[in-house]
Amino acid sequence: MAELRGCAAPADVMTDAQALRGHCLAAVEASGLHPVGDLFHRFADAAATGVTGVVLLAESHLAVHTWPELGVVTLDVYVCNRGSDNAERARALLARLETLFAPADAERHAVQRGRAAA
Amino acid sequence: MAELRGCAAPADVMTDAQALRGHCLAAVEASGLHPVGDLFHRFADAAATGVTGVVLLAESHLAVHTWPELGVVTLDVYVCNRGSDNAERARALLARLETLFAPADAERHAVQRGRAAA
């Protein structure tokens, strides 16, 4: 997981669901992960103008939330390691997305999940 | 987040994308959270027979992955607290889903995320 602050990404990356979707799918594929579906939703009301999106992966999921009014983005990359170790691919995906959003500051959390599901 | 093991849920909850979707949307609404979209994908190959699903929320997202062949389910509930404190709703949603999957054992992780995005 990562929380990105002070994001200098172009406005369309933060507010255009289709543009963000294209960037996310490209980053997923460049990282060697396998999308099986995706859904991106644009918020457009007085309180929120960002995008929430997910890419379902054969390996689990990517979730992205943008808050353009705050310059904030949160990223979740969750992969399972059945069959092969996907941790390096998950790190590569996070790094690609951080580059895309160009934050001034990034805070990362890694959680090693359940034994049986790993 | 929670990893549930030894899940005693009926088979359709673990393997039927539409059945799981209905349970997730009901649990989201009963918890006072607000869905803005959802996507559920059934895996059906030799290596995996489970379902991956997400519900996008006005408050962020729910993600569910089932591994029926292992009796394992992982849950992610991520909420932001802009406008109101949604932590209690997130806990209520996790509790409802744990009841649905009826695990023998549950391992939970809570991560307090970025200051600016909170």
Side-chain angles (χ1 to χ4, degrees), chain A residues 3 61 65 69 82 113, chain B residues 3 61 65 69 82 113:
Chain A
E3 337 298 321
H61 71 265
H65 302 283
E69 66 277 21
R82 296 190 70 200
R113 301 185 62 169
Chain B
E3 337 298 319
H61 71 266
H65 303 283
E69 66 277 21
R82 295 190 71 200
R113 301 186 63 170

Side-chain angles (χ1 to χ4, degrees), chain B residues 65-79:
Chain B
H65 303 283
T66 75
W67 284 267
E69 66 277 21
L70 300 175
V72 167
V73 174
T74 69
L75 302 173
D76 292 51
V77 177
Y78 171 29
V79 294

Side-chain angles (χ1 to χ4, degrees), chain A residues 31 89 109 112:
Chain A
S31 304
R89 291 175 179 143
H109 305 275
Q112 186 70 38

